[in-house]
Amino acid sequence: MKKRQLLLLIATVYMLSLKAQDGTLPMLEKGRIWNTMSLHPGMNPSYTNLYGQPCEGNPHTYKIDGDTIINGKTYKKFLVDGSHIDIFMRQEDSRIYKYDPNSYPPEWPNPEELAYDFGIQERDTIYYPSYGFSLVADHVDTITVDGISRRRLTMNVITETFDTERLADVWVEGIGGAATSPCFFWGAWETSTSGMMRSCIQDERALFSWDDFFASSIISSLLQPSKDIFETKQLESSSGIYDLQGRYLPNKLQKGVYIKDGRKYVK
């Protein structure tokens, strides 16, 4: 027990020493590994996505593998399932930038865009030109895992396709998104695919897991008023309804908040 407490103390001191100038925990550290799943509908579902929908999954591993200089800036290189990809990332205080020349037309002078900003406040919006959508911080709180406190942001998507906001992802400072890989947005709100970050590893030590994204007050976060919560009697007679933990529910429901077709409903 004493050995475990000592290791946790050392890890906490180490992480705090690496904080950016604005106090943000680092996400792009040497040797950092993300174990993810790409999820999709299938006949033999073994996983549950962010919306509580059953899915099949394919595992993928993302690993930071050294530095490279682009336009005078230092970016981290990535290995995906053991192979390098042409996507590079860098951290500047609370902001994580992605350089992806394949996502932009050749005439664009600088194919870099903001991927994450762990310092934004509630109702702040980030626009992604390469994807054509915006994410808005619907709720911001703080969680503590293994003695380390991190900001958590519940992000909704805004696109021209929808007339309302929909839950898109849950970001955690220094880790990334629950439903995305560190480099890609899966776009589960517009397609049948989605993602799942199973674990985040640093120096052979588990920093974070899928369950940690939903620790403590995540349910109260999702209960915050937002444009994608609907009050409807139709929900009770519809199929494919799940609770906020991803469990399938029968048609007869008690009062509460539920997920159906990627939207939150309150009864």
Side-chain angles (χ1 to χ4, degrees):
M1 179 62 71
K2 289 184 178 180
K3 183 178 180 181
R4 173 178 170 76
Q5 291 175 338
L6 178 60
L7 290 173
L8 287 175
L9 177 61
I10 293 173
T12 302
V13 172
Y14 170 72
M15 292 299 294
L16 292 175
S17 70
L18 292 175
K19 277 195 171 187
Q21 291 184 356
D22 69 344
T24 303
L25 290 168
M27 174 175 162
L28 305 176
E29 289 300 296
K30 179 181 178 181
R32 177 71 61 90
I33 296 173
W34 293 264
N35 293 309
T36 70
M37 298 289 290
S38 59
L39 303 177
H40 52 84
M43 298 298 293
N44 300 297
S46 301
Y47 304 94
T48 301
N49 67 13
L50 185 65
Y51 306 108
Q53 300 163 333
C55 300
E56 292 183 351
N58 298 316
H60 300 285
T61 299
Y62 293 77
K63 181 179 181 180
I64 291 179
D65 186 52
D67 300 333
T68 187
I69 305 296
I70 303 174
N71 296 332
K73 298 177 180 178
T74 301
Y75 290 82
K76 299 297 182 182
K77 299 186 294 184
F78 279 84
L79 289 172
V80 180
D81 299 333
S83 300
H84 282 105
I85 58 173
D86 292 330
I87 295 178
F88 311 94
M89 303 188 78
R90 66 182 182 90
Q91 181 164 356
E92 184 178 302
D93 296 328
S94 65
R95 298 175 294 278
I96 308 293
Y97 292 93
K98 182 178 72 170
Y99 186 95
D100 182 3
N102 298 319
S103 293
Y104 288 81
E107 62 270 19
W108 282 46
N110 182 18
E112 179 188 73
E113 69 178 340
L114 183 66
Y116 302 93
D117 188 347
F118 300 113
I120 62 175
Q121 305 301 317
E122 287 189 15
R123 308 313 301 170
D124 286 350
T125 300
I126 301 175
Y127 176 65
Y128 296 89
S130 65
Y131 292 94
F133 63 73
S134 297
L135 294 182
V136 57
D138 186 48
H139 184 68
V140 179
D141 64 358
T142 301
I143 58 173
T144 301
V145 176
D146 284 345
I148 300 175
S149 296
R150 304 175 185 270
R151 296 187 88 225
R152 176 174 54 190
L153 303 93
T154 303
M155 306 298 294
N156 286 356
V157 65
I158 306 173
T159 74
E160 295 180 356
T161 306
F162 301 133
D163 56 359
T164 59
E165 296 175 15
R166 296 192 183 187
L167 177 65
D169 206 352
V170 179
W171 292 357
V172 170
E173 173 193 354
I175 301 296
T180 53
S181 77
C183 304
F184 298 103
F185 292 103
W186 296 101
W189 46 89
E190 291 192 297
T191 70
S192 59
T193 62
S194 60
M196 175 185 187
M197 186 185 293
R198 295 185 298 162
S199 63
C200 182
I201 310 295
Q202 180 69 50
D203 300 326
E204 300 184 353
R205 188 180 72 87
L207 288 181
F208 216 77
S209 71
W210 168 260
D211 290 338
D212 292 330
F213 281 101
F214 311 102
S216 62
S217 59
I218 186 62
I219 293 179
S220 63
S221 300
L222 294 176
L223 288 174
Q224 295 295 316
S226 67
K227 294 180 181 179
D228 67 330
I229 296 184
F230 302 89
E231 184 171 1
T232 174
K233 295 180 180 179
Q234 179 183 348
L235 178 65
E236 189 168 10
S237 59
S238 301
S239 60
I241 302 170
Y242 301 83
D243 66 12
L244 296 179
Q245 287 73 48
R247 296 174 297 212
Y248 181 81
L249 298 173
N251 287 340
K252 189 173 183 180
L253 302 173
Q254 304 295 321
K255 290 184 177 181
V257 176
Y258 304 95
I259 294 176
K260 177 179 171 59
D261 298 328
R263 295 188 178 190
K264 290 176 286 181
Y265 292 83
V266 60
K267 180 179 182 296

